[in-house]
């Protein structure tokens, strides 16, 4: 009987120790889980509080500073290349917009003169060819005659000279218009480059020209007053 009671007591104590050990293990595991979750968990309010700072930092990094046009000066090389590639581009880059009507007006005038002279050259060339051949059906020269005028043997040679002269004249004017177009283009390029160069030229108050009378020693006498003459002294400060 005593043996059975002892066995019952041992079994009871073993169960109590097993239960206690289980409770301790579970409590330890829960404490470690809470520690890990606290270490890696981020508070959403902290993220919201940091978000404006990140946005402000990003805006400050990506925002370009405003250009101060009062101290801006054009680059001569860039103005030259823009004027070479785009007619009037150098003047736009130099911010000299008032020169654009002059540049484009020169281009349009030269192109119109070249087109007009080329048209007249072709018309008088055809008239000259028609009056030189013996085909009576080719008489395009009649539209150049005055009202009621006709060409016959008495005035044929004179009109041949007139048509040839006008043909050569309009051809020469057409070629001159083309060279004038090239000249306007070259002037626009030179103007853009020189304008950009002069924008960096010092025009401060230190630049001054001073003109004043002075005594010049001729060296003919030991006396300064007797060997001197009155002159003008010009001084340039830069």
């Amino acid at each position: 009987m005593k043996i059975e009671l002892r066995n019952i007591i041992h079994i009871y104590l073993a169960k109590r120790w097993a239960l206690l050990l289980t409770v301790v293990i579970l409590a330890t595991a829960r404490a470690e889980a809470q520690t890990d979750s606290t270490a890696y968990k981020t508070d959403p309010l902290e993220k919201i509080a940091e978000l404006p700072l990140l946005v402000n930092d990003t805006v400050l990094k990506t925002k370009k500073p405003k250009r101060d046009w009062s101290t801006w000066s054009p680059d001569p090389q860039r103005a030259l290349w823009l004027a070479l590639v785009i007619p009037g581009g150098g003047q736009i880059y130099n911010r000299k917009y008032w020169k654009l009507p002059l540049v484009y007006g020169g281009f349009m005038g030269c192109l119109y003169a070249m087109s007009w002279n080329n048209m007249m050259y072709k018309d008088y060339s055809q008239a000259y060819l028609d009056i030189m051949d013996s085909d009576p059906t080719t008489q395009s020269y009649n539209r150049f005659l005055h009202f009621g005028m006709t060409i016959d043997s008495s005035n044929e040679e004179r009109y041949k000279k007139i048509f040839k002269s006008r043909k050569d004249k309009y051809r020469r004017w057409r070629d001159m218009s083309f060279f004038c177009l090239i000249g306007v283009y070259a002037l626009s390029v030179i103007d853009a480059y020189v304008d950009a160069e002069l924008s960096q030229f010092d025009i401060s108050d230190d630049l001054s020209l001073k003109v004043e009378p002075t005594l010049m020693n001729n060296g003919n006498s030991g006396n300064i007053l007797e060997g001197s003459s009155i002159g003008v002294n010009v001084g340039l400060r830069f």
Side-chain angles (χ1 to χ4, degrees):
M1 186 69 180
K2 291 181 179 181
I3 297 173
E4 293 178 358
L5 182 59
R6 185 181 297 176
N7 292 335
I8 292 171
I9 293 172
H10 285 302
I11 293 171
Y12 175 77
L13 292 176
K15 289 182 177 180
R16 292 292 301 271
W17 281 106
L19 180 61
L20 180 61
L21 182 62
T22 303
V23 171
V24 171
I25 292 173
L26 291 175
T28 304
R30 184 176 180 181
E32 291 178 355
Q34 290 179 353
T35 303
D36 294 338
S37 62
T38 305
Y40 293 100
K41 185 177 180 181
T42 304
D43 191 3
L45 295 177
E46 294 179 357
K47 289 185 177 181
I48 296 174
E50 294 175 358
L51 183 59
L53 296 177
L54 295 176
V55 172
N56 291 333
D57 292 340
T58 305
V59 171
L60 291 176
K61 291 180 180 178
T62 57
K63 187 177 181 180
K64 294 182 180 180
K66 293 183 178 180
R67 175 175 290 178
D68 188 5
W69 292 106
S70 61
T71 59
W72 177 81
S73 59
D75 182 14
Q77 296 295 331
R78 181 172 295 182
L80 176 65
W81 285 109
L82 285 174
L84 287 172
V85 175
I86 305 173
Q91 284 72 24
I92 297 175
Y93 173 72
N94 293 336
R95 300 174 65 84
K96 297 299 178 63
Y97 305 112
W98 62 271
K99 294 183 179 180
L100 292 178
L102 300 177
V103 174
Y104 289 113
F107 277 112
M108 295 302 295
C110 292
L111 289 174
Y112 178 77
M114 188 166 55
S115 175
W116 169 262
N117 291 317
N118 185 58
M119 181 184 65
M120 297 301 294
Y121 164 71
K122 290 182 177 180
D123 292 341
Y124 276 104
S125 295
Q126 187 62 43
Y128 179 71
L129 292 176
D130 292 345
I131 199 174
M132 292 296 294
D133 61 18
S134 57
D135 188 359
T137 60
T138 56
Q139 296 181 356
S140 62
Y141 49 81
N142 286 331
R143 62 194 184 95
F144 294 108
L145 302 178
H146 295 288
F147 182 75
M149 295 291 297
T150 58
I151 296 178
D152 51 20
S153 59
S154 62
N155 57 8
E156 184 177 2
E157 292 297 327
R158 184 170 66 89
Y159 277 105
K160 287 181 180 179
K161 292 180 181 180
I162 291 175
F163 292 150
K164 184 179 184 304
S165 175
R166 292 184 180 180
K167 174 180 67 71
D168 297 338
K169 180 181 67 174
Y170 284 111
R171 181 182 60 185
R172 184 170 62 254
W173 285 2
R174 181 199 61 184
D175 298 340
M176 289 178 60
S177 301
F178 175 74
F179 287 111
C180 288
L181 179 66
I182 296 177
V184 172
Y185 173 74
L187 285 176
S188 66
V189 174
I190 295 173
D191 173 76
Y193 179 77
V194 173
D195 196 2
E197 283 283 357
L198 292 179
S199 64
Q200 303 176 1
F201 188 73
D202 187 10
I203 54 174
S204 62
D205 296 335
D206 293 335
L207 294 173
S208 60
L209 180 65
K210 186 176 182 181
V211 180
E212 59 184 0
T214 185
L215 291 176
M216 296 183 296
N217 188 5
N218 298 326
N220 297 328
S221 175
N223 191 346
I224 297 177
L225 295 177
E226 293 180 357
S228 301
S229 59
I230 300 177
V232 178
N233 183 26
V234 179
L236 179 62
R237 178 186 296 175
F238 58 91

